[in-house]
Amino acid sequence: MVAKNVVGKLFGKREKARTIAHPLLPDAIEAIRQKAIRGHHLEQVLWGKTLLNSIYVPRDPDQALIWFTIAANAGYGPAHNMLGRCAHFGWGCEKNLQKAAQHYEAAAALGDEWGRYNLGILTMRGMGMPQNLKQALLLFQTAAQNGHAKSMNILARFLEEGWEIPQDRQAALAWYKRSAEGGDYRGQHNYATALAEAGKTQEALLWWAQALPNATSDILLAMNRSLTKLGPDKAPQLYAALQERLNSLPQRDDDLAKLP
């Protein structure tokens, strides 16, 4: 937790900040900053995310952590999720998986599905706690039923593999589809893969095209294997766009690239 005197110092600057516009920020980003200063919890989290990863201001994880703390202290679930992310990856603080799990749990208790999902990931992998697939499944089931697309994808994987639940590939396919329709690139890739295996190549190509812009390196490489197996001539434009993305990848994905 950030020291109270540090938070107090930030609050002490708010009146001055209200009257001084940031000269480098677009109007939409400046509006977020001003709302954060005025105490709006959503914008406090958004401004913290801007300080973590933005082309408009220098990266400042210490200040981001303060803004997340302010909103979390007011009982705002997404702020606890972001404090969990900070502890998970060491943004503005030491990496501490136990503390990350505590904040994710607090976020989930406040109804934040990203916090529930992130707690599920730690629980599934045994990070900062003993591995517990049954408890992870319950977390993903709840988040999926509440409309969280990434949790839908993982729930589908549990059903496909029969982890802690009877294997049901038809149900898995239905959840992959819902995840894909919800915008999760992993769900889109997995649904496309299932469609391709069922011989529905054109439909599969449409979902791979949707997954391409946001996919991380592991999914891009999996897509490349699938499209190479199908034959690049099946979708030359998609294949070319995929190669362009692969060629532009850094050696590893930036942890900040996919903030929740």
Side-chain angles (χ1 to χ4, degrees):
M1 186 66 69
V2 178
K4 289 184 179 179
N5 63 333
V6 177
V7 177
K9 186 181 292 185
L10 179 62
F11 268 98
K13 297 177 181 178
R14 290 197 304 173
E15 291 301 325
K16 184 177 180 181
R18 282 178 182 154
T19 60
I20 302 175
H22 195 295
L24 302 178
L25 293 178
D27 290 346
I29 304 297
E30 174 62 11
I32 288 172
R33 189 177 77 94
Q34 291 294 336
K35 278 193 168 185
I37 291 166
R38 291 196 295 271
H40 294 257
H41 305 320
L42 170 60
E43 281 74 19
Q44 286 168 345
V45 170
L46 293 175
W47 178 238
K49 288 184 180 183
T50 301
L51 290 167
L52 279 179
N53 185 34
S54 172
I55 62 173
Y56 302 114
V57 293
R59 185 168 181 261
D60 192 341
D62 293 337
Q63 285 291 305
L65 189 69
I66 291 172
W67 284 108
F68 298 144
T69 299
I70 292 169
N73 285 345
Y76 188 56
H80 274 290
N81 176 60
M82 287 310 302
L83 285 177
R85 297 283 286 174
C86 288
H88 191 155
F89 295 104
W91 302 335
C93 59
E94 290 186 8
K95 184 174 179 177
N96 185 323
L97 291 175
Q98 289 82 9
K99 185 174 286 188
Q102 290 169 5
H103 281 296
Y104 291 150
E105 187 171 9
L110 290 165
D112 181 65
E113 301 309 330
W114 274 109
R116 202 182 315 276
Y117 166 82
N118 286 324
L119 181 61
I121 293 294
L122 295 189
T123 306
M124 180 175 69
R125 295 177 178 171
M127 299 171 64
M129 64 182 72
Q131 185 184 46
N132 188 330
L133 287 180
K134 183 173 291 187
Q135 181 60 31
L137 172 61
L138 290 173
L139 289 164
F140 294 132
Q141 282 177 321
T142 299
Q145 288 161 0
N146 289 338
H148 190 259
K150 282 191 174 295
S151 296
M152 294 175 190
N153 175 65
I154 298 188
L155 174 57
R157 186 70 187 278
F158 271 77
L159 286 160
E160 183 178 19
E161 302 295 338
W163 297 336
E164 298 295 333
I165 196 171
Q167 189 178 56
D168 188 337
R169 291 184 174 170
Q170 283 301 113
L173 184 64
W175 279 110
Y176 280 138
K177 181 180 180 183
R178 289 185 63 181
S179 175
E181 291 171 344
D184 178 48
Y185 64 87
R186 291 182 186 277
Q188 289 165 346
H189 166 70
N190 288 329
Y191 186 48
T193 300
L195 289 169
E197 289 173 353
K200 299 178 180 180
T201 303
Q202 292 306 311
E203 193 175 350
L205 292 171
L206 291 174
W207 283 111
W208 273 317
Q210 289 200 48
L212 180 61
N214 295 313
T216 46
S217 58
D218 58 326
I219 297 300
L220 292 173
L221 290 168
M223 286 174 60
N224 188 52
R225 289 192 293 271
S226 296
L227 289 177
T228 300
K229 184 177 178 180
L230 281 176
D233 58 316
K234 294 284 187 181
Q237 291 183 330
L238 175 59
Y239 187 78
L242 172 59
Q243 301 313 305
E244 185 176 347
R245 279 224 57 204
L246 285 169
N247 290 335
S248 67
L249 282 177
Q251 289 189 349
R252 66 179 182 83
D253 283 326
D254 188 344
D255 286 332
L256 296 172
K258 303 297 175 187
L259 286 174

